[in-house]
Amino acid sequence: MSSPLLEANSRTLTLPERAVNPRLVLAISNVTGLALLTPFVLLIHGYHPYADDAGIYVAGIRKIMNPALFTVDSSFVLTHTRFSIFSHLFAGTLRLFHIPLELGLLAAYLLSIFAFLLGCFQLAQRLFDDVQLQWGATLFAGALFTLPVAATSLWIMDPYVTARSFSTPLSLFALASCLDRDWKRTAMWLLLTVIMHPLMAAYLAALLVACILIDQNRWRSLGAAALASFAGCAAVYADTRHATLPDGYQEAALSRSYFFLSSWHWYEVAGLIAPMLLMLVAALRTHHRAVRNLCVACIATGCTACAVAACFVHTNGSFLLARIQPLRTFQLIYLSGVILLGGFLARHLRGRRAAIGAALLILVSSLMLLVQNQTYTTSAHVEWPFAAPRNPWQQAFLWIRNNTPQDAVFALDSNYTTLGSEDTQGFRATAARSALVDQLKDGGVVAIFPQLAPRWKSQRDLEIGLDRISDQERIARLRPAGVTWLLLSAGSTTRFDCPYRNSTVAVCRLP
C-alpha cells in the first residue's frame, strides 16, 4: 500500500524549520477545498446509517436518549457504551440542540468525512514538501475511503457513523503532531482518541511510540519494546489459555473468523505482507526523514502484531488476545500507505501526465462505488434522512417503529442479517424495538464481552429455524422469553395475525 522513493531528493526539515514553515499552516483555501471534497466522498462511498456496526451504535444512542426503549435487551445495547464517550456525547448533543436523530447522523457523517480529509492533508503536509503532492495524497485517500483492511473486518473508514468515524481522524492528527515532535499536541490527540475508542487508541499508541523511538534513533529501545510486547502477550496467553469460558462464548468467538490468522485465505494474508514490503522499499530508498520514520514505525508495529496474532491468537486458546484483535493495527498502516502512495502517484502523474492521474483517480473512485453497491445490494446507495427505504427489510422495520407498542419484544430468525437482501441493516437501530439476539451483530458483541454469552446462546437457540417451525412450536419457544411479535420471511407458513407484509417479510403478532 505504500510507495518507494517518496521525495527522494528533498531535504530533511529540522524542528525549527518545521515550526515556521508556511506550508504547514492550514490556509482557508485548503479548508474550503476539503469542505467541497466532502460531499463527493459521500456520493462515491455511500451512506448507510443503520447498517453493520452502526446498528449497534445507533441502538445505544436511542437507548441513552430514551431509557424506556430496549428494557429487555439493554445489556446488548449499552455494554459497549461504557468504554467510550461517543454515544453519550452524540445523544447529549442531539438533546441539547433538539436535532432529529436522522439529521444528526448525516451531519456527523459529513463531519467525520471532513475531519478524515483534514487529517490526511495534515499528515501529507509532513510527508511531502510540494502542495500538489499533498493534495494528490488527500484525493487518493478520499477515493479509497472505504478500502477494506486485509481480512480484519475493517474499512479504512465506514460508510456510516461509529466511534471509529472520529477516532480515525483523531489518530491522523496525533500522527501529524508526532512527526512535528509536538509532544503536547500528540498527547492531547491521543487522549481524545482514548475517550472516543480505547481499543483503536491502543493501536495508535503503539505506532506513536515506534515513531518517537525511531525519530530519536533508539533502535535498541524499539527492538526491546517489540520484544516486551510479544513477551507480555505470551505471558497473558500462558496464564489464560485454560481459563473457564462462559457457556456459548467459544461458539460466538469462533464465528469471528477475522480474529484468527489461521482462518485467513492466502490472499488475505498477502494483504498484511504486501504493504510492509512496499514500506520497507520506501524506507530504504527515501532521504525524507518523516517518510522513513513513518514507514519503519508501520513495519515495526505491523510485524509485532502479526507475530502476536500468529503465535497467541488461536481457536483453542482463552480468546483474551483475540478480543484485543491485534491485526486491527493495520488500519493505520493501510491509511499511512494510501497517503504515501497517493503522494507518489501525484509526483509522477502531473504536468503532461495529469490527464492520466485524473483518469486513475476516476477509475479508483468508480471501482469503490461499484464495490459499495455490491455490498449493499438492495439498499439505496445514499440513504437520505426521512426518505422511504428501498430495502424491504427496512420497510418492515420502519412499519414496526410506527405501528407497534414501544415495549414490544420481537423474535427474528437468528441469521436474518446474513440474508443477501437484508444488507446487515440493524433491527433495533431502525425499528427502535427490543428483539432477541441475532447471530451476526449480537454475536460480535458477545465475542468482545464474554459475560453476555450464556444469555446470547439461550436466546439464539430459541430462534434457530424460526421461519420453518410450526405456530405451536413458536408459541412454546417464544412466549416464555417474553416475545410479543415475530418477523418471519414472507414464505413462512403461519396462521398468526400478520398486519404487515411485503415481498420479503411478514410482521406477525404472537397470540
Side-chain angles (χ1 to χ4, degrees), residues 123 170-179 204 207-208 211 294 336:
L123 183 58
L170 291 171
S171 298
L172 288 170
F173 298 152
L175 196 53
S177 298
C178 183
L179 294 181
L204 169 64
L207 185 59
L208 292 175
C211 282
L294 180 59
S336 300

Side-chain angles (χ1 to χ4, degrees), residues 8-129:
N9 297 318
S10 64
R11 62 189 179 87
T12 302
L13 292 175
T14 64
L15 181 59
E17 288 176 304
R18 283 193 180 276
V20 299
N21 196 312
R23 75 181 179 83
L24 297 182
V25 177
L26 197 63
I28 295 177
S29 59
N30 293 333
V31 175
T32 303
L34 296 173
L36 293 174
L37 182 59
T38 295
F40 286 98
V41 173
L42 179 146
L43 294 175
I44 291 169
H45 298 279
Y47 171 58
H48 307 281
Y50 305 117
D52 292 301
D53 287 354
I56 299 172
Y57 280 92
V58 174
I61 292 168
R62 286 192 185 277
K63 175 67 174 176
I64 294 170
M65 294 179 66
N66 182 3
L69 292 175
F70 312 121
T71 55
V72 301
D73 49 355
S74 60
S75 56
F76 290 95
V77 173
L78 289 178
T79 300
H80 73 280
T81 67
R82 294 181 300 169
F83 300 96
S84 168
I85 198 177
F86 170 75
S87 298
H88 301 276
L89 180 63
F90 196 98
T93 302
L94 296 183
R95 278 198 301 253
L96 179 63
F97 295 102
H98 304 286
I99 302 172
L101 175 62
E102 293 80 1
L103 289 180
L105 288 170
L106 178 59
Y109 184 55
L110 289 169
L111 178 61
S112 72
I113 295 174
F114 175 79
F116 169 80
L117 295 173
L118 178 60
C120 291
F121 188 77
Q122 289 197 346
L123 183 58
Q125 285 185 306
R126 277 71 184 169
L127 300 174
F128 308 109
D129 297 320

Side-chain angles (χ1 to χ4, degrees), residues 6 9 29 120 170 216 220 240 257 311 383 415 482 488:
L6 293 175
N9 297 318
S29 59
C120 291
L170 291 171
Q216 298 175 356
R220 290 184 179 179
T240 62
S257 61
C311 294
E383 299 180 47
N415 288 309
L488 303 173

Side-chain angles (χ1 to χ4, degrees), residues 12 72 111 151 170 182 187 284 340 363 371 412 474 488:
T12 302
V72 301
L111 178 61
L170 291 171
D182 189 332
L284 292 174
L340 289 168
L363 176 62
V371 168
L412 305 81
R474 288 172 183 141
L488 303 173

Side-chain angles (χ1 to χ4, degrees), residues 214-231:
I214 292 165
D215 182 69
Q216 298 175 356
N217 292 319
R218 297 171 60 183
W219 301 103
R220 290 184 179 179
S221 297
L222 179 66
L227 288 175
S229 300
F230 185 84

Side-chain angles (χ1 to χ4, degrees), residues 161-438:
V161 178
T162 69
R164 284 193 304 272
S165 302
F166 294 95
S167 68
T168 301
L170 291 171
S171 298
L172 288 170
F173 298 152
L175 196 53
S177 298
C178 183
L179 294 181
D180 282 342
R181 303 178 187 172
D182 189 332
W183 311 130
K184 289 183 179 180
R185 277 196 299 131
T186 301
M188 178 190 71
W189 293 123
L190 176 60
L191 178 60
L192 289 175
T193 308
V194 168
I195 64 177
M196 189 63 66
H197 198 306
L199 191 57
M200 300 308 293
Y203 311 142
L204 169 64
L207 185 59
L208 292 175
V209 168
C211 282
I212 292 170
L213 293 177
I214 292 165
D215 182 69
Q216 298 175 356
N217 292 319
R218 297 171 60 183
W219 301 103
R220 290 184 179 179
S221 297
L222 179 66
L227 288 175
S229 300
F230 185 84
C233 292
V236 170
Y237 177 76
D239 185 58
T240 62
R241 64 177 303 185
H242 298 299
T244 302
L245 299 174
D247 184 35
Y249 178 71
Q250 185 172 23
E251 185 179 357
L254 291 177
S255 69
R256 313 293 110 179
S257 61
Y258 56 87
F259 278 11
F260 309 104
L261 193 58
S262 60
S263 300
W264 290 25
H265 299 289
W266 68 267
Y267 53 85
E268 294 170 331
V269 176
L272 302 179
I273 299 173
M276 290 192 292
L277 289 178
L278 290 171
M279 284 188 169
L280 177 61
V281 173
L284 292 174
R285 301 188 65 180
T286 188
H287 297 291
H288 197 292
R289 186 183 185 91
V291 172
R292 186 207 65 174
N293 290 356
L294 180 59
C295 288
V296 177
C298 288
I299 294 168
T301 54
C303 288
T304 303
C306 287
V308 169
C311 294
F312 308 123
V313 181
H314 299 305
T315 56
N316 59 349
S318 69
F319 303 108
L320 179 59
L321 293 173
R323 289 158 54 193
I324 299 174
Q325 304 174 73
L327 293 177
R328 290 198 166 190
T329 302
F330 276 82
Q331 187 211 24
L332 283 175
I333 295 174
Y334 263 55
L335 182 48
S336 300
V338 165
I339 293 171
L340 289 168
L341 180 57
F344 172 79
L345 292 173
R347 179 183 179 87
H348 293 279
L349 298 178
R350 57 179 175 174
R352 294 181 180 180
R353 299 176 181 174
I356 299 175
L360 178 62
L361 194 63
I362 292 172
L363 176 62
V364 171
S365 300
S366 300
L367 288 174
M368 296 306 296
L369 173 64
L370 177 64
V371 168
Q372 285 302 306
N373 280 327
Q374 292 300 311
T375 302
Y376 300 96
T377 55
T378 58
S379 303
H381 179 61
V382 177
E383 299 180 47
W384 298 108
F386 310 116
R390 218 170 63 188
N391 184 304
W393 289 84
Q394 280 188 293
Q395 293 169 6
F397 296 167
L398 190 59
W399 184 92
I400 289 168
R401 188 168 76 194
N402 294 329
N403 296 276
T404 62
Q406 186 171 274
D407 61 352
V409 179
F410 277 78
L412 305 81
D413 188 286
S414 59
N415 288 309
Y416 81 94
T417 53
T418 63
L419 300 176
S421 62
E422 208 277 335
D423 285 349
T424 65
Q425 297 287 350
F427 173 82
R428 296 189 189 100
T430 309
R433 295 294 180 266
S434 292
L436 301 189
V437 300
D438 67 73

